[in-house]
Amino acid sequence: MVFVIKGKSIILFGPPGAGKGTQSGLISTMTGKPQVSTGDMLREAVTDGSEVGREAKSYMDRGLLVPDEIIMQLIKMRLSRDDAMGGLLFDGFPRTIPQAMALETLTDVSMVISLVVGDDEIVSRITGRRTDPETGEIYHLEYKPAPQHIRGRLLQRDDDTEDTVRNRLSTFHKQTAPLSDFYREKGILIEIDGSGDIKQVSSSIEAIIDAKSGE
Ligand code: AP5
């Protein structure tokens, strides 16, 4: 079955640790589009202990991409929900050309916001990341410290070790970075310097969305 969304979708694109999860709430609030993170969906499947979760984990732990068929199955299920009709904010999807081409048959994409951050900065961001399991809030030991009273419950993701991050970055450069050209040729790629602090990047994103809303 094919699901077609009437509203246009937005893609938040960038290497691991670029700040997609950190900035997605702002974009979702500004555009009214629900955020869909394939990484979060896969981690939920892993926690549930489902067959999809078990298979996905074997790729995620090695910093490899989960096969396109599994990802498209998850995306189609998500697109079948009522709140997808106005378009979605995709975070961390698509990550391969076949995923991008499959998405084209399901929804129109109005813009691709690409956060550009260098590899060295990525490693320090990811190894210092901690997540609050109760709220889902993303923190960083140095760049965004959590309030003292919740520090004891923060978790570090299994794939946030330095070795796995290096593999994830290499996977990004080989398989995902070519999507920049794919969307640049369509005239919908907007590159943002993601190397500033969280507030600076948020301001750049706000300015872009404001400008686009006025077009
Ligand atoms: P996924 O969960 O999507 O991970 P990712 O793309 O590697 O991205 P991250 O979640 O690591 O980073 P982010 O950009 O959201 O950064 P964040 O805001 O947290 O995917 C995980 C795995 O699932 C993949 O490796 C793959 O195996 C699989 N997968 C997922 N989708 C797939 C798909 N479509 N196809 C195939 N496989 C798929 O920020 C990071 C840290 O930096 C935080 O601590 C934050 O506080 C800090 N920070 C953020 N912004 C700044 C800033 N401006 N300055 C300083 N610190 C900052």
Side-chain angles (χ1 to χ4, degrees):
M1 195 186 336
V2 172
F3 303 97
V4 178
I5 308 181
K6 291 192 185 117
K8 292 195 173 188
S9 293
I10 297 174
I11 293 170
L12 183 52
F13 180 81
K20 301 183 296 294
T22 299
Q23 302 294 343
S24 61
L26 167 72
I27 303 174
S28 191
T29 304
M30 286 187 82
T31 60
K33 296 185 191 294
Q35 179 230 14
V36 172
S37 155
T38 39
D40 287 346
M41 292 165 100
L42 291 168
R43 279 184 289 280
E44 271 165 35
V46 171
T47 305
D48 291 349
S50 66
E51 201 183 318
V52 164
R54 279 195 297 278
E55 188 176 353
K57 189 169 167 40
S58 69
Y59 293 94
M60 294 164 81
D61 284 350
R62 286 177 288 158
L64 302 175
L65 293 184
V66 173
D68 291 338
E69 302 72 48
I70 293 182
I71 298 296
M72 292 317 300
Q73 231 177 319
L74 292 175
I75 289 291
K76 284 179 185 170
M77 273 186 329
R78 182 61 186 84
L79 291 181
S80 68
R81 283 169 48 183
D82 288 349
D83 68 349
M85 294 306 286
L88 295 171
L89 168 64
F90 294 109
D91 162 356
F93 170 85
R95 269 169 137 104
T96 62
I97 297 285
Q99 287 180 19
M101 291 176 72
L103 182 64
E104 294 207 314
T105 66
L106 302 172
T107 181
D108 284 336
V109 175
S110 60
M111 68 177 151
V112 178
I113 300 174
S114 168
L115 298 178
V116 181
V117 182
D119 287 6
D120 289 342
E121 172 71 11
I122 293 294
V123 174
S124 94
R125 283 192 190 180
I126 288 200
T127 50
R129 170 168 51 195
R130 299 292 183 273
T131 309
D132 181 355
E134 288 189 18
T135 63
E137 187 72 23
I138 304 165
Y139 294 98
H140 189 280
L141 294 176
E142 188 183 341
Y143 307 134
K144 187 181 171 187
Q148 187 68 45
H149 69 281
I150 66 161
R151 287 186 191 167
R153 69 180 190 224
L154 299 184
L155 297 178
Q156 183 171 24
R157 269 170 47 178
D158 290 346
D159 59 346
D160 275 356
T161 60
E162 184 159 350
D163 281 351
T164 311
V165 171
R166 300 256 175 224
N167 290 342
R168 285 160 64 193
L169 273 171
S170 148
T171 301
F172 172 79
H173 289 299
K174 278 191 217 138
Q175 290 178 268
T176 306
L179 284 175
S180 294
D181 286 339
F182 181 86
Y183 287 116
R184 188 177 291 113
E185 279 163 22
K186 292 182 183 295
I188 56 173
L189 183 78
I190 299 167
E191 290 185 301
I192 289 186
D193 178 5
S195 65
D197 66 27
I198 294 175
K199 280 192 182 153
Q200 284 167 335
V201 178
S202 296
S203 302
S204 306
I205 290 175
E206 269 172 350
I208 292 289
I209 294 176
D210 276 342
K212 286 283 164 191
S213 324
E215 276 178 7

